[in-house]
Amino acid sequence: MKNILLALFLLTFSIQCVQKKEKPSSLDAVVKGEHRSSENRQRDTYRHPIETLEFFEVEPEMTVVEVSPGKGWYTEILAPYLQGKLYLAGFDDNSEREYFRNANRVLKENVKKNQKLYGDVEFRVFEMPSKIGPIAPANSVDRVLTFRNVHNWMKSGKAEEAFKEFYRVLKKGGMLGVVEHRANAQSKKDPKAESGYVHVDQVKKLAKQAGFKFVASSEINANPKDSAKHPKGVWTLPPVLRLGDKNKEKYTEIGESDRMTLKFIK
């Protein structure tokens, strides 16, 4: 009987080791992984995923919530990298907005296709303005990360509630990482962020009100070519290029938006 139990233990341990070995060994290996689409790879030059996640101090064994992952650009990197658990707090399958439903479908299909590589991924609903949480159990996660989403929550009038939810789910000492389109410091503040650009101190205020302490900022995702003053807001620039062919060369030369990169601690 003891021999049987020992054999079962060794078999289970071996399976676990094989499963872990399916995960890439570093962020660099993940970013270079063949599972990523060529379209997503092209945006690395603007989004700096390795430097950004290192700044947010994301480690493989952590439990992480990615808030509003969209179609999963960062999910393609976070899921393979993490040996811990990843929560994807995104759109509702039955959302009233077609774009949200389609984005969620693409995200879930990608997760299913890469199930062995991605590991433990759990979906939660986080859709403004009706559904904000729970995005994870209270005091259970090491990192909450969000990329270019704060303006959407401000527009819906639910940003304060969102940041409180982030605070609730983080462990003491856990961190909130925020990347957001950065408004020109001299421009007028818009509480609804209609242009898609947000002032740095607006994000800091939201975090402070929720109980967070500011840790540091980085210029990793800065773009000095971006004036943050465009006819169609941030969506004038790539990848959206909302003006179509009008001044396309000009806006393509500017590139993607100037972005703040901030981290806060609970």
Side-chain angles (χ1 to χ4, degrees), residues 33-46:
E34 294 181 359
H35 69 288
R36 299 188 67 215
S37 68
S38 58
E39 180 183 3
N40 284 352
R41 289 169 185 265
Q42 290 173 9
R43 303 185 72 183
D44 290 351
T45 187
Y46 297 113

Side-chain angles (χ1 to χ4, degrees), residues 163-233:
F163 275 74
K164 287 178 182 178
E165 175 64 7
F166 306 157
Y167 191 86
R168 185 189 71 82
V169 303
L170 278 165
K171 301 173 183 177
K172 185 177 181 181
M175 288 186 181
L176 167 66
V178 179
V179 176
E180 178 58 300
H181 310 295
R182 178 165 51 189
N184 188 299
Q186 283 71 49
S187 64
K188 184 179 179 181
K189 292 178 183 176
D190 178 6
K192 294 292 185 181
E194 294 286 353
S195 69
Y197 288 98
V198 180
H199 284 259
V200 173
D201 59 357
Q202 288 177 300
V203 177
K204 287 183 176 180
K205 182 178 179 181
L206 287 166
K208 184 178 181 180
Q209 287 175 335
F212 287 102
K213 180 180 178 181
F214 174 67
V215 177
S217 63
S218 172
E219 293 299 297
I220 296 166
N221 296 299
N223 180 359
K225 294 182 180 180
D226 180 18
S227 67
K229 297 178 181 179
H230 310 294
K232 297 293 182 180

Side-chain angles (χ1 to χ4, degrees), residues 39-245:
E39 180 183 3
N40 284 352
R41 289 169 185 265
Q42 290 173 9
R43 303 185 72 183
D44 290 351
T45 187
Y46 297 113
R47 297 188 169 186
H48 311 99
I50 295 175
E51 297 88 345
T52 299
L53 294 178
E54 286 178 345
F55 176 71
F56 291 150
E57 302 176 53
V58 178
E59 299 293 340
E61 71 279 2
M62 289 181 171
T63 296
V64 175
V65 180
E66 183 185 358
V67 186
S68 296
K71 294 180 179 179
W73 194 93
Y74 253 102
T75 306
E76 278 190 350
I77 298 169
L78 285 168
Y81 178 63
L82 294 171
Q83 296 284 356
K85 184 180 183 68
L86 175 63
Y87 289 96
L88 296 178
F91 302 130
D92 193 332
D93 288 333
N94 301 310
S95 173
E96 294 180 359
R97 296 185 61 178
E98 183 179 5
Y99 173 82
F100 289 174
R101 294 195 305 273
N102 289 340
N104 213 37
R105 175 182 54 77
V106 171
L107 176 65
K108 289 192 171 183
E109 286 177 354
N110 190 43
V111 170
K112 184 177 181 180
K113 180 179 70 175
N114 294 289
Q115 188 172 14
K116 287 186 178 180
L117 178 65
Y118 283 11
D120 193 5
V121 176
E122 183 173 332
F123 290 91
R124 295 292 179 108
V125 177
F126 181 90
E127 184 176 318
M128 298 294 181
S130 58
K131 184 72 173 176
I132 295 178
I135 59 173
N139 307 303
S140 68
V141 305
D142 301 287
R143 297 288 183 272
V144 172
L145 306 177
T146 182
F147 306 95
R148 306 167 315 281
N149 292 305
V150 177
H151 60 282
N152 293 318
W153 310 331
M154 291 173 65
K155 187 174 182 178
S156 69
K158 296 289 184 176
E160 291 87 353
E161 292 181 44
F163 275 74
K164 287 178 182 178
E165 175 64 7
F166 306 157
Y167 191 86
R168 185 189 71 82
V169 303
L170 278 165
K171 301 173 183 177
K172 185 177 181 181
M175 288 186 181
L176 167 66
V178 179
V179 176
E180 178 58 300
H181 310 295
R182 178 165 51 189
N184 188 299
Q186 283 71 49
S187 64
K188 184 179 179 181
K189 292 178 183 176
D190 178 6
K192 294 292 185 181
E194 294 286 353
S195 69
Y197 288 98
V198 180
H199 284 259
V200 173
D201 59 357
Q202 288 177 300
V203 177
K204 287 183 176 180
K205 182 178 179 181
L206 287 166
K208 184 178 181 180
Q209 287 175 335
F212 287 102
K213 180 180 178 181
F214 174 67
V215 177
S217 63
S218 172
E219 293 299 297
I220 296 166
N221 296 299
N223 180 359
K225 294 182 180 180
D226 180 18
S227 67
K229 297 178 181 179
H230 310 294
K232 297 293 182 180
V234 71
W235 303 281
T236 310
L237 299 177
V240 178
L241 293 169
R242 190 159 288 175
L243 292 178
D245 290 332

